[in-house]
Amino acid sequence: MTAIELARFTVDPDDVDAMLDARPAMLRALRERFDGFEALHLVRLDERTWLDVVRWASRAQADEAAATVVELPECRAAFAYIKEVVAMEHGEVLFAGDRAS
């Protein structure tokens, strides 16, 4: 069953461009390392607060990634701009709608 990871975090406004520049390498690393990785969306909530919405093929794959993602240098580089992790949650998707539905 598909899983969603929600990571709410803060970034200093002076670091936003550098954080955004680090994201493509992080995305490539996630695709290469984790078979269950499906999608990554970065959402700006306000000047300092951001939300990563990550879709995984299963909850087990999301949990495995959460435990090992900091081992990837590209992810560590992107995470270096995070000032505070406000919340980190994982959940299973029970209903989803898209344009094809």
Side-chain angles (χ1 to χ4, degrees):
M1 181 175 293
T2 300
I4 296 292
E5 173 182 304
L6 300 171
R8 182 184 292 247
F9 57 93
T10 62
V11 174
D12 187 302
D14 292 336
D15 291 336
V16 168
D17 289 339
M19 184 264 299
L20 293 173
D21 288 346
R23 301 298 281 202
M26 181 176 119
L27 178 61
R28 284 190 299 276
L30 291 170
R31 285 180 175 153
E32 291 171 6
R33 169 61 178 84
F34 300 108
D35 291 334
F37 173 79
E38 294 184 350
L40 170 64
H41 301 278
L42 176 63
V43 180
R44 178 183 240 160
L45 299 174
D46 62 38
E47 184 178 299
R48 295 181 175 279
T49 311
W50 299 77
L51 181 67
D52 264 336
V53 180
V54 188
R55 190 175 67 233
W56 297 96
S58 72
R59 176 64 187 262
Q61 289 167 314
D63 290 341
E64 183 226 337
T68 61
V69 72
V70 295
E71 296 172 7
L72 302 176
E74 300 87 349
C75 293
R76 278 196 313 273
F79 297 160
Y81 300 102
I82 295 173
K83 296 298 177 193
E84 177 187 8
V85 175
V86 177
M88 171 72 82
E89 300 175 303
H90 293 91
E92 293 181 338
V93 176
L94 300 180
F95 177 86
D98 58 28
R99 293 176 193 238
S101 299

